[in-house]
Amino acid sequence: MRGGLRSFIVLSAVSSAFGAWIPYSQIKNRGESAFLNCLESANLDPVVQGDSDYATDSSPFNLRLQWKPVALVYPEDANGVSAAVQCGAENGVNVNARSGGHSYAAFALGGEDGHLTVSLDKLRHLSLSGDTATIGSGNKLGDIALYLWENGKRAMAHGTCPEVGIGGHAGQGGFGLASRSWGLLADQVQSLEIVTADGQIRTASPTENPDLFWAATGAGASFGIITSFTTVTHAALDSIAFAYTFANYGAKEASNGLQAWQTFANDAVNKLDTAVGLQIHIDPGDTGVVFSVSGVYYGVNEAKVNSTFAPLLKKLGTPSDIFLQKQDWITSVLYLAGVDSISQLNTTLTPDTHDYFYATSTFVSAKEPMTQTASDALFEYFYGPGSDTSVEWFAIFDLYGGGDSAVTKVGPDHNAFNARDALYSIQYYGTIPNGTVSDADGIAFIQGMKKAIESGMPSTQFKEYVNYIDSTYSAEEAHKRYYPTHTANLTSLKDKYDPNRVIHFPQDF
Ligand SMILES: Cc1cc2nc3c(=O)[nH]c(=O)nc-3n(C[C@H](O)[C@H](O)[C@H](O)COP(=O)(O)OP(=O)(O)OC[C@H]3O[C@@H](n4cnc5c(N)ncnc54)[C@H](O)[C@@H]3O)c2cc1C
């Protein structure tokens, strides 16, 4: 979309605000721009190209996608966010929120050049009242988990990376190992404070602006800038982390392993306890591809873990390694984040990480589990081309459904998240090594994983997970994959709340 019609409209609008077209890199005199004047009049102190902070402030998590915003601003409160949105609207500049900045497609920077990024870094207030948390949208998952733990041993279900922001994560789903018990992070949200495209600061909840609440919990990036989330919290649970590793599998054993895993997870008679967070990890390993069944079992003892997984292990065979760890809640957060110390959850103390990568995903539904043909093709790809590439890849299978999972039992239209029929997601991720693999080849290699499944199930229209957003999709393809039955409603709500597409990115409605 970079050179498409939308970019042309955005750039034309900005150029007309500047009088004659001036490349952003040459904006020296801020007085030339009504748009920048507007931001400055609102005390938003925009960072623009040429400023010493611009390169750092506009650096994306995914270094492959270095979009150039016309300006970045750091409002201190919802009024400042509102002023920024109005400056964008009045001057024809598209606006995007940035919470943790970890969008795989760098959509907080616009997903194309020339947008206004509203960075929420200063909206980091956190409070608890009874079981209810109020969370400024600049907070990241590590800081939230730490705050809840240190203030009454409270917890929520959310993803694993401490640096991921609540804005994108909860706005578009937010899956964690405790989600089968407590739902997606979006499902744990009770109400939102949100600035809509007209600059109004609104409350959205099941009883106030319920259509906006429905849309912003699942398709949050399109419906305004959320400034604060009010969420339910839960008593933090002790748990057992488990990992059964099979370093000695070949492609056929691994495919059979996946078949056993999905049958075990999808058993309608012996329902899998919702306290189980269950995954499969596949990675190329040092000496060959490694297949590992892992996860966290909340609130139980080791004997219960052993008895629960005994029927599955009978099918999987003898693991090359078994790991079991009894842990309190915050240790489970550290374990899943792959960090050692509690201080590493405080993201104000840790520098942001970056990667140069491409990722995409598949949801496999409970009604149409992966066929043997499809899993054979997938694992032949992992153990074949996957053993002979310099792309640093991994694949993670996350169990969403099975048993009475809180993710799936709420029904298909609970909020805009459009995959309540999912049994599990698969994320395919590849770091593309600088200089040795082209972007096109790296992307094609990762897409080969998804194509392997699709070629084994040609009549299935797979859904995908919007938080693993695929940077290569057109809007039409994205809607088909992320919101197949919600696109029409989301488009009409977009027309209602943002008719001029002020808050906009290439896969928007
Ligand atoms: C290392 C890593 C691990 C991950 N693990 C998991 C996981 O375990 N489970 C899972 O579900 N996902 C996971 N993800 C994916 C993650 O949920 C998404 O990348 C998420 O969208 C990032 O949110 P963010 O606020 O950091 O990103 P941003 O780039 O700031 O935002 C992402 C999108 O949301 C919009 N947005 C951000 N804030 C707001 C707001 N306040 N109001 C409205 N729109 C907003 C942005 O404009 C952008 O379009 C992981 C990602 C990474 C990088």
Side-chain angles (χ1 to χ4, degrees), residues 61-376:
F61 173 67
N62 189 351
L63 295 171
R64 189 172 59 79
L65 299 163
Q66 310 225 13
W67 311 116
K68 298 282 172 235
V70 64
L72 300 98
V73 291
Y74 297 82
E76 311 227 342
D77 54 25
N79 288 320
V81 172
S82 166
V85 170
Q86 289 179 68
C87 288
E90 284 162 15
N91 291 282
V93 178
N94 285 142
V95 181
N96 303 94
R98 182 171 68 187
S99 175
H102 274 53
S103 162
Y104 286 3
F107 279 164
L109 298 175
E112 60 193 359
D113 292 346
H115 289 213
L116 169 64
T117 292
V118 178
S119 186
L120 302 163
D121 276 7
K122 294 184 179 166
L123 274 59
R124 288 195 168 217
H125 56 85
L126 274 162
S127 62
L128 257 173
S129 170
D131 297 351
T132 305
T134 304
I135 303 171
S137 60
N139 282 291
K140 301 184 180 184
L141 302 182
D143 302 297
I144 296 166
L146 195 53
Y147 176 86
L148 295 180
W149 173 253
E150 289 179 342
N151 289 274
K153 304 270 186 290
R154 306 299 298 173
M156 291 189 299
H158 55 69
T160 56
C161 174
E163 289 173 14
V164 162
I166 189 169
H169 192 63
Q172 302 182 118
F175 174 86
L177 273 278
S179 285
R180 294 186 66 250
S181 292
W182 297 335
L184 302 174
L185 189 49
D187 306 336
Q188 296 160 89
V189 174
Q190 296 174 321
S191 75
L192 302 166
E193 181 185 77
I194 181 167
V195 175
T196 42
D198 55 4
Q200 272 201 58
I201 304 169
R202 304 178 198 242
T203 300
S205 74
T207 52
E208 207 170 338
N209 298 309
D211 56 355
L212 182 60
F213 183 72
W214 180 87
T217 47
S222 292
F223 287 91
I225 298 189
I226 300 162
T227 46
S228 178
F229 294 84
T230 301
T231 70
V232 67
T233 66
H234 314 269
L237 295 169
D238 292 349
S239 60
I240 307 265
F242 57 89
Y244 305 102
T245 302
F246 299 86
N248 40 5
Y249 270 1
K252 188 64 188 167
E253 288 93 343
S255 174
N256 291 343
L258 172 67
Q259 290 293 322
W261 182 89
Q262 71 176 8
T263 303
F264 170 77
N266 207 17
D267 192 329
V269 180
N270 298 309
K271 288 183 183 178
L272 185 62
D273 191 343
T274 55
V276 176
L278 189 62
Q279 302 180 311
I280 294 176
H281 282 249
I282 314 287
D283 66 67
D286 294 330
T287 55
V289 177
V290 177
F291 177 104
S292 162
V293 171
S294 61
V296 175
Y297 203 157
Y298 294 96
V300 295
N301 56 32
E302 207 170 309
K304 178 80 174 158
V305 175
N306 290 332
S307 63
T308 300
F309 293 112
L312 176 61
L313 287 172
K314 213 167 152 186
K315 300 247 168 66
L316 295 178
T318 308
S320 51
D321 188 55
I322 297 178
F323 170 83
L324 293 175
Q325 170 176 285
K326 190 169 175 5
Q327 55 195 7
D328 61 16
W329 173 266
I330 205 67
T331 310
S332 73
V333 173
L334 298 178
Y335 166 74
L336 292 169
V339 299
D340 302 321
S341 105
I342 281 193
S343 65
Q344 289 168 281
L345 296 179
N346 181 344
T347 64
T348 62
L349 303 176
T350 43
D352 258 2
T353 55
H354 301 271
D355 196 3
Y356 191 105
F357 71 100
Y358 168 75
T360 190
S361 64
T362 301
F363 273 124
V364 176
S365 87
K367 286 206 181 108
E368 277 185 280
M370 204 188 300
T371 60
Q372 183 79 47
T373 309
S375 71
D376 284 354

Side-chain angles (χ1 to χ4, degrees), residues 1-8 111-112 473-475 504-507:
M1 287 296 287
R2 193 177 182 180
L5 181 63
R6 187 70 223 169
S7 304
F8 175 72
E112 60 193 359
Y473 284 163
S474 64
H504 189 77
F505 55 99
Q507 296 179 10

